Amino acid sequence: MPVLHSLRRAALVLLLAAATLYAAPARPAAADEPGWTAEPATGAAATAVRPYFYLAGAPGTVLEDRLALANTTDQERTITLRGADAYNTADGAFAVRPATPGSGAAGAAGAGSWISFGAATTVKVPPRTQAVVPFTLTVPPASPPGDHPAAVIAGEGGHEVGVRVHLRVGGPTLAALTVEDVAVRGRGAAAVIAYTLVNRGNVALTPELRIRAEALVGEPADPPRGRTPPIELLPGQRVELTEPWPDAPAFDRVRVTLTVTAPGGARAVATGTRWLVPRSLAGWIGGGLLGLGATTAAALYLVRGRRPEPAPVPAADGPSAAGPTPPAPHHELTGAAR
């Protein structure tokens, strides 16, 4: 009897295990896990992994580097390669231009279009294998000096992986920026300081922000100061950012001063002012002003309605001492119909 009980128990365990294996098949790769990677290739003597490509040269030079594609799956991968221009989105994120339809080049004629993989624009990577693909970046002779952001894009089946390319073209560099459109938005704990940063130079900048707040009546607590926004501001780009100000005054006239600096001597200062009024008080003030305006309009209407009409002037019995009244002059409008 104990043996039979043990056999039944073992059979039940095996049945449950089989059901679990059937109900829970192997987890497929997530949508953001294509089964392959793309990164800068390391040389024979290099041990550190490079997070991006860094290239520098004078106008007219041809620069070379290599991209490593690693297939971590058991299936062959067909990966398409291209270059792309990089830019900042409106909120400061790093993004790349899409490919021009019908070609593998970057959408705009920037540094992305200077990247070439030759005939290796499509690469087949065998299972569990790494392929190293060389590419060139040809700097046009008339290229302006400074930073030209770009990226190498590897794609398969609608999934793309980008590797940044930091390109510095030789020549004079200028670090310059401006801060614009400073404003305080929202009320109370939801108040924020909005501003716009513009890179006026030819090198990428990592700005640092300092904020000073002043009030007409009280002493407001300054927003977080000495902060570095999590952006890299590319040359010629404009981004719109906000900084939280949860300790903003509830009822006061505030003035905020933003000082932005960046390595290389870039510095900019701008201010913005606003009356901060609680929403309920703003409604009472608005309603009071509307009522005052209606009362004033009604009073003016009554005053005008009671104004007496002027008495008519009697006509003279004889001709005026000043002589006959001359006829009214005739004015002609240029271009009027006759």
Side-chain angles (χ1 to χ4, degrees):
M1 196 69 181
V3 175
L4 183 60
H5 180 72
S6 298
L7 290 176
R8 289 179 178 177
R9 186 175 182 180
L12 181 60
V13 170
L14 291 175
L15 183 61
L16 290 176
T20 303
L21 290 175
Y22 179 80
R27 183 181 64 87
D32 57 348
E33 298 176 0
W36 52 268
T37 60
E39 60 186 14
T42 56
T47 57
V49 177
R50 295 185 293 166
Y52 52 79
F53 295 104
Y54 181 81
L55 302 172
T61 59
V62 179
L63 307 173
E64 299 179 352
D65 213 316
R66 302 184 307 162
L67 176 70
L69 300 172
N71 183 359
T72 59
T73 69
D74 295 329
Q75 298 178 354
E76 183 182 70
R77 298 291 183 177
T78 302
I79 302 174
T80 303
L81 304 175
R82 67 180 177 92
D85 295 338
Y87 68 100
N88 287 120
T89 60
D91 59 355
F94 184 90
V96 295
R97 306 287 182 189
T100 302
S103 70
S113 63
W114 306 346
I115 298 173
S116 174
F117 288 91
T121 55
T122 301
V123 180
K124 293 184 179 296
V125 185
R128 306 294 178 180
T129 305
Q130 183 184 75
V132 177
V133 186
F135 68 92
T136 60
L137 192 153
T138 304
V139 184
S143 300
D147 293 339
H148 296 262
V152 169
I153 306 298
E156 181 197 35
H159 186 98
E160 291 189 333
V161 174
V163 183
R164 292 190 59 173
V165 177
H166 291 258
L167 172 64
R168 172 69 61 88
V169 177
T173 58
L174 173 64
L177 57 80
T178 57
V179 55
E180 305 171 358
D181 306 329
V182 178
V184 180
R185 300 173 183 169
R187 297 180 176 88
V192 297
I193 299 173
Y195 60 100
T196 301
L197 292 182
V198 186
N199 189 336
R200 303 289 183 181
N202 61 357
V203 293
L205 300 175
T206 304
E208 182 178 298
L209 177 67
R210 293 183 179 273
I211 304 177
R212 182 169 56 90
E214 301 172 289
L216 182 63
V217 179
E219 292 291 336
D222 286 346
R225 51 194 308 168
R227 178 176 178 271
T228 301
I231 65 167
E232 180 183 5
L233 189 58
L234 303 177
Q237 298 294 299
R238 171 189 295 266
V239 298
E240 299 175 0
L241 305 173
T242 58
E243 298 295 328
W245 193 11
D247 298 326
F251 180 42
D252 211 330
R253 185 178 186 273
V254 295
R255 175 181 179 180
V256 293
T257 301
L258 273 65
T259 302
V260 184
T261 58
R267 185 177 186 273
V269 180
T271 61
T273 59
R274 182 192 172 187
W275 273 102
L276 292 178
V277 180
R279 193 177 301 275
S280 58
L281 181 59
W284 280 102
I285 293 176
L289 292 176
L290 183 61
L292 179 61
T295 303
T296 304
L300 291 176
Y301 178 80
L302 292 175
V303 169
R304 290 179 180 176
R306 295 177 179 178
R307 182 178 299 172
E309 294 292 335
V313 179
D317 294 335
S320 171
T325 303
H330 174 71
H331 296 282
E332 181 174 319
L333 298 178
T334 303
R338 297 178 180 273

